[in-house]
Amino acid sequence: MRVLQSSIIRAVCACAVGYLLVMYRTEMVQWLTIAIGALFFVSGLISVIMYYVEKRKAERTAEQLATIAEMRNGADIPKDKTDILRSIKPAFPLVGIGSVILGVILSVMPSTFINGMMYALAAILILGAVNQYINLAGILKISRVPIIYWLFPSFILLAGIYMLVKPLEAMAMPFRILGWGLILYGVVECINSIKIYKARKGYEKTQKKLEESLASAANDTIEDAEIIK
């Protein structure tokens, strides 16, 4: 019974998550973009903070080394604090600042970023389809091209046009597929669990009847043996 309950709970959870992905797929894309932006922002901010912490340490170390060099009067030891600091100062965090900027853009303007990215991908698909049409047209001069070869660039062209018209819907399409997959998994899991539970119960009843019949047959044999004796 516990196995049945856990399977049904798992199936219900899968159906619920699948329903949310199907019904709110566009919102899921935006929230996922915001979450990715937050991760970029936090990682970039940490790298910038660590840069300034390491820079402070390098400045203190440069002061100490300059003081030691002046005290020793070593010819091979640089005495200028600027020269020492230049050699031990950490690199400026360009990647960290870029991550912070990208994180802000993703978090504050997720729809704009998604639309821009989808328009760029749509343009690539459309240009690729047109290029395939041109190549096939060039082959027509020397050979016959079956119609199936014209269908592939047509599908690519239609996909690019769909992404141009409905960028958010196109971006959310994988969530819809995943959502329906989870719903199907939940339904099948529930049906299989009930079927397995009934099969086990039927098997246990059959085994119990078989054991009772064997015990009854053994008792009859013992009684017959006593009577013959």
Side-chain angles (χ1 to χ4, degrees):
M1 194 63 187
R2 289 180 180 176
V3 175
L4 178 64
Q5 289 175 352
S6 64
S7 298
I8 290 177
I9 291 172
R10 187 167 61 248
V12 170
C13 291
C15 289
V17 174
Y19 175 79
L20 292 174
L21 288 175
V22 172
M23 295 302 297
Y24 304 103
R25 57 190 181 276
T26 304
E27 290 80 0
M28 289 295 295
V29 171
Q30 292 183 345
W31 281 111
L32 182 62
T33 305
I34 292 172
I36 294 172
L39 291 175
F40 271 105
F41 179 80
V42 171
S43 63
L45 186 62
I46 290 174
S47 65
V48 172
I49 292 172
M50 291 302 298
Y51 164 75
Y52 283 104
V53 171
E54 293 296 328
K55 185 180 177 182
R56 290 280 184 87
K57 290 182 179 178
E59 289 175 353
R60 289 196 296 267
T61 304
E63 290 180 358
Q64 293 174 359
L65 291 176
T67 304
I68 294 172
E70 288 179 359
M71 292 174 61
R72 292 184 178 179
N73 290 324
D76 57 340
I77 302 176
K79 298 174 184 167
D80 189 3
K81 175 186 171 183
T82 306
D83 295 336
I84 299 173
L85 182 61
R86 191 180 296 114
S87 62
I88 63 174
K89 187 175 69 173
F92 189 76
L94 287 175
V95 177
I97 293 176
S99 297
V100 170
I101 296 172
L102 179 61
V104 171
I105 294 173
L106 290 175
S107 300
V108 177
M109 299 181 293
S111 299
T112 304
F113 178 82
I114 293 170
N115 289 338
M117 183 177 66
M118 296 306 291
Y119 288 148
L121 293 175
I124 292 172
L125 287 179
I126 292 173
L127 291 175
V130 171
N131 183 61
Q132 289 184 2
Y133 280 131
I134 294 172
N135 292 334
L136 291 174
I139 296 174
L140 275 177
K141 297 177 181 178
I142 57 176
S143 176
R144 180 178 173 274
V145 179
I147 190 171
I148 190 170
Y149 288 95
W150 296 93
L151 291 177
F152 294 130
S154 300
F155 289 141
I156 296 172
L157 181 63
L158 290 175
I161 294 172
Y162 179 76
M163 290 168 66
L164 278 178
V165 176
K166 294 185 177 180
L168 285 177
E169 288 290 328
M171 189 71 177
M173 190 64 68
F175 286 97
R176 169 179 262 179
I177 297 172
L178 180 60
W180 281 114
L182 286 173
I183 292 174
L184 179 62
Y185 163 76
V187 172
V188 173
E189 178 74 12
C190 189
I191 294 172
N192 289 344
S193 300
I194 295 173
K195 187 184 296 184
I196 292 170
Y197 178 75
K198 289 182 177 180
R200 284 180 177 175
K201 283 295 182 182
Y203 176 77
E204 290 174 359
K205 287 182 181 180
T206 303
Q207 286 293 109
K208 190 174 182 181
K209 288 181 180 179
L210 181 61
E211 290 175 358
E212 289 177 354
S213 62
L214 290 174
S216 177
N219 291 332
D220 292 342
T221 303
I222 293 172
E223 290 177 359
D224 293 341
E226 289 177 352
I227 292 172
I228 292 172
K229 184 177 177 181

